[in-house]
Amino acid sequence: MRKIIAALAACLVLAGCGLGRWEGEIRFKVTSINNCYDGYSDVICATRIYLDLVGDLPAGAPGKSSFKSAFVEPDDFEDESKVRDQVAVGDEIICVGQEQSEGFEYLNGIPLQLSKCRMA
């Protein structure tokens, strides 16, 4: 019985390690800013800042395809009150990227979450 419990505990530890996520800072260039975008059933007015990668990705980062069509919203910035007035097309920003390896967002096809953005 003890061997079975030990084996199950080892499996849980190994499974938990496999669910780890990558996290690191990534530099982007603002390509466009859109104040309204189409929602699922209606037009939702919110600011979205669309991004392109700048430079090389940090070690261990997911592939560049994970960053295709990347965007952030004002609440993804450390100081969202400054975003609306200061961020413009062509600016470079740095965001913390976190790879989603499990959970609701990942199942909906969002493999990467960007947050804690700031001006470069």
Side-chain angles (χ1 to χ4, degrees):
M1 185 66 167
R2 288 184 183 175
K3 289 181 183 180
I4 293 173
I5 293 172
L8 288 174
C11 289
L12 289 173
V13 167
L14 290 174
C17 293
L19 297 175
R21 302 182 211 176
W22 174 86
E23 183 174 312
E25 288 193 342
I26 307 159
R27 183 178 285 262
F28 293 98
K29 182 176 183 177
V30 176
T31 57
S32 65
I33 299 173
N34 193 358
N35 290 327
C36 288
Y37 58 92
D38 291 330
Y40 290 109
S41 62
D42 228 341
V43 172
I44 301 169
C45 287
T47 300
R48 276 195 173 176
I49 301 164
Y50 293 92
L51 310 167
D52 273 342
L53 281 172
V54 173
D56 295 328
L57 289 170
K64 288 188 177 189
S65 62
S66 296
F67 300 92
K68 186 177 181 182
S69 303
F71 68 89
V72 291
E73 295 175 344
D75 61 348
D76 294 320
F77 282 78
E78 292 174 342
D79 186 357
E80 67 181 270
S81 63
K82 293 183 179 179
V83 174
R84 289 181 178 87
D85 298 329
Q86 293 185 357
V87 175
V89 173
D91 287 348
E92 290 189 6
I93 63 172
I94 297 172
C95 296
V96 172
Q98 185 177 53
E99 184 179 23
Q100 302 291 320
S101 60
E102 79 238 19
F104 181 72
E105 289 183 351
Y106 180 75
L107 294 174
N108 282 313
I110 304 172
L112 185 75
Q113 179 180 2
L114 298 174
S115 62
K116 301 177 189 169
C117 299
R118 65 184 188 281
M119 300 296 288

